Amino acid sequence: MADCIFCKIASGEVNARIVYEDPETLAFLDLNPQAPTHVLIIPRRHIGSLTAAAEADAGLLGRLQLAAARTAKQLGVEGAFRLVTNNGKGAGQSVDHLHYHLLAGRKLLWPPG
Ligand code: DGP
């Protein structure tokens, strides 16, 4: 998607602090961190949101979660982290490219606000 900031990060056109990558997924530091560790995990291919994912994306969705777990281990936060996606504007989604937030390094309240 030409005007998608996360597609531009995935293609290397826009810089980001990448902490994990494989052929299908990418993890990079959030520009506006909400916790000491705040990483975004995205598919390289554009999918607008979780509800935009198709049956054929099932494998990719699983690999995104494995990428998140690997990233958590790499950053030493595998014992306590939260993985969350905001789906839709009403839930706080501001970038229309599927992404999971990996948050760690502080007390994480439940329920989230
Ligand atoms: P959400 O509100 O759930 O759609 O989360 C989008 C996140 O993306 C938000 O926490 C800020 C982050 N973000 C937006 N633009 C950029 C960018 O250009 N670079 C990086 N690293 N993060 C970005």
Side-chain angles (χ1 to χ4, degrees):
M1 285 264 291
D3 59 348
C4 171
I5 185 70
F6 287 178
C7 284
K8 287 182 179 169
I9 288 173
S11 71
E13 190 182 336
V14 167
N15 282 337
R17 300 213 17 219
I18 293 169
V19 293
Y20 172 84
E21 59 184 320
D22 65 36
E24 287 184 278
T25 73
L26 187 68
F28 53 92
L29 301 187
D30 194 293
L31 204 57
N32 181 24
Q34 302 300 311
T37 297
H38 187 169
V39 174
L40 301 172
I41 300 102
I42 67 166
R44 289 184 182 276
R45 176 163 59 81
H46 186 88
I47 298 175
S49 68
L50 188 55
T51 47
E55 204 52 43
D57 296 320
L60 176 58
L61 294 177
R63 283 188 283 283
L64 280 168
Q65 293 198 52
L66 290 171
R70 281 194 198 110
T71 301
K73 282 181 197 154
Q74 192 180 300
L75 298 178
V77 298
E78 70 275 21
F81 68 90
R82 181 168 293 160
L83 190 66
V84 65
T85 188
N86 297 324
N87 191 97
K89 291 211 184 322
Q93 183 175 6
S94 60
V95 177
D96 291 334
H97 181 129
L98 174 62
H99 53 283
Y100 290 91
H101 297 259
L102 189 165
L103 299 150
R106 65 165 168 80
K107 187 170 171 51
L108 296 166
L109 302 177
W110 192 261

